[in-house]
Amino acid sequence: MINKLLILHTGGTISMNEGDNGHVVLSQENPLLASIKTLHSPAKIDQEAIFNVPSPHINLTHWIYLKTRIEKAIFQEHYTGIIITHGTDTLEETAYFLELSIDTDIPIVLTGAMRSNNELGSDGLINLQSAILVALTPESRDRGVLVVMNDEIHHAKFVTKTHTTNVATFQTPTFGPCGLIAKHNVLYFQRLTCYEHFPFEHLEKTNVPLIKTYAGMDSELLKYLANSECDGVVIEALGAGNLPPTCLAGVSALLNAQIPVVLVSRAFNGVTQDVYDYVGGGRRLKQEGVIFSTGLNGQKARIKLLVLLNQQLNQPLSNYF
Ligand code: ASP
């Protein structure tokens, strides 16, 4: 098979420059388009600057466009690897959306940078070089969507941005990266037990807010959502999956309105479990019909719920979390 890579540039710090005043700004012309010739690749590389936006501007419309472009690249144009350059703020969400929605064993690799193109110690080109290496490695096939940053490879499903500025920002808190880039070698150490895909044509139910809980939180926000047009709610609960008792009326209002409620933990590491049997404790929440997610963070659980709400499911929604 002849290797043929497609790089889709979407914007973010990796495509930005620092101005004289120290502020980082969007570049008119993506600097990566010209830099690519300085990188090493035995494969043919095509590139397209499909957007040029900071990643806080990325939304569902961008995701659908990206998904459609990637599917065309894989299934009609026969690219053997896809690389996406992206701002780091929402990179993990784009990565997981693509994993859930595209059924392929072709490597799809996202990368970005914490320091812009002209900053001292800029990490953009080395991350892009690593992403190319990963996309060209046969062992990268059938591993879901991968995130490559700072010499590490992470699964889209569990990776998260953990630091505002440090180049070592991307981590998989519960079990670490799945692989490393050591000099010019790609080394894998683990793989997920399953990769889930839920292909779809259209998304109709897209109103899925994410709510973070806190000590003493009341039910007002949740009751508001129960009376709104929302399709599902993800709650970042406390610890192993518990809520303040003052939230429970809000949770009941959501469930009575047939709005699915998925619980994740606001804790950085670990999974939610129905351990505690007290008012607001996980055991009672689960009995009420709240769905517990195993290990997804809030922003990923939100994407999964959104995608699942638009599927014909043959099992109860809770079985998919
Ligand atoms: N704020 C930037 C963005 O997400 C940060 C980055 O690219 O790393 O676009």
Side-chain angles (χ1 to χ4, degrees):
M1 182 169 54
I2 298 168
N3 276 315
K4 196 174 127 183
L5 300 184
L6 177 64
I7 305 183
L8 299 172
H9 300 293
T10 69
T13 300
I14 192 168
S15 301
M16 295 183 191
N17 281 310
E18 190 180 77
D20 295 338
N21 59 7
H23 291 132
V24 177
V25 291
L26 283 171
S27 322
Q28 288 293 348
E29 172 80 6
N30 191 323
L32 296 172
L33 291 170
S35 309
I36 198 78
K37 53 183 175 296
T38 65
L39 301 181
H40 172 74
S41 167
K44 175 176 174 349
I45 297 185
D46 296 320
Q47 39 176 356
E48 292 171 19
I50 56 169
F51 323 124
N52 189 17
V53 293
S55 78
H57 294 200
I58 294 277
N59 58 35
L60 197 52
T61 307
H62 295 98
W63 287 345
I64 305 270
Y65 186 89
L66 202 48
K67 166 192 179 307
T68 309
R69 180 66 193 94
I70 294 170
E71 285 176 334
K72 182 171 177 226
I74 293 174
F75 302 119
Q76 293 173 29
E77 298 165 348
H78 307 295
Y79 282 97
T80 56
I82 309 291
I83 295 162
I84 298 150
T85 66
H86 197 289
T88 55
D89 291 353
T90 61
L91 186 149
E92 65 190 85
E93 285 164 81
T94 300
Y96 190 48
F97 178 84
L98 296 175
E99 170 152 317
L100 288 179
S101 53
I102 303 177
D103 190 357
T104 180
D105 64 352
I106 292 288
I108 300 175
V109 182
L110 280 88
T111 193
M114 295 304 286
R115 297 182 186 141
S116 66
N117 183 58
N118 62 346
E119 277 177 67
L120 198 59
S122 171
D123 51 336
L125 282 184
I126 181 61
N127 285 339
L128 184 54
Q129 177 70 78
S130 298
I132 291 171
L133 205 58
V134 169
L136 285 171
T137 300
E139 291 76 37
S140 300
R141 291 187 78 131
D142 207 13
R143 286 181 180 270
V145 173
L146 299 168
V147 172
V148 170
M149 293 278 296
N150 197 39
D151 292 346
E152 293 184 349
I153 313 167
H154 295 264
H155 294 118
K157 187 171 181 181
F158 293 116
V159 69
T160 194
K161 183 173 181 177
T162 65
H163 196 287
T164 51
T165 53
N166 196 299
V167 293
T169 185
F170 280 93
Q171 288 181 31
T172 300
T174 315
F175 50 83
C178 61
L180 301 175
I181 297 109
K183 293 296 177 189
H184 303 298
N185 294 313
V186 175
L187 307 168
Y188 284 103
F189 295 98
Q190 52 186 341
R191 75 164 50 241
L192 293 184
T193 48
C194 74
Y195 299 94
E196 297 172 300
H197 309 292
F198 302 99
F200 58 83
E201 290 301 319
H202 305 287
L203 293 175
E204 270 158 32
K205 297 181 175 179
T206 59
N207 190 354
V208 181
L210 168 62
I211 305 290
K212 185 169 191 154
T213 50
Y214 51 87
M217 180 175 171
D218 66 25
S219 279
E220 291 311 303
L221 199 48
L222 299 177
K223 281 185 184 165
Y224 168 80
L225 290 175
N227 291 316
S228 76
E229 297 290 297
C230 94
D231 299 307
V233 176
V234 176
I235 301 179
E236 275 189 21
L238 309 173
N242 310 303
L243 290 175
T246 38
C247 285
L248 298 182
V251 172
S252 298
L254 286 165
L255 295 173
N256 289 338
Q258 309 294 324
I259 297 172
V261 177
V262 173
L263 216 71
V264 299
S265 176
R266 71 175 199 180
F268 171 67
N269 204 341
V271 299
T272 51
Q273 285 176 297
D274 54 337
V275 180
Y276 290 96
D277 194 359
Y278 54 71
V279 179
R283 179 153 189 267
R284 300 200 191 174
L285 295 173
K286 204 167 188 179
Q287 279 168 348
E288 288 287 308
V290 171
I291 297 168
F292 279 54
S293 152
T294 312
L296 291 176
N297 66 20
Q299 54 272 31
K300 305 274 180 75
R302 178 186 170 271
I303 291 169
K304 186 165 187 180
L305 179 56
L306 189 154
V307 169
L308 288 173
L309 286 171
N310 290 278
Q311 300 283 316
Q312 295 283 6
L313 301 177
N314 47 24
Q315 291 179 44
L317 187 60
S318 56
N319 289 8
Y320 294 87
F321 282 91

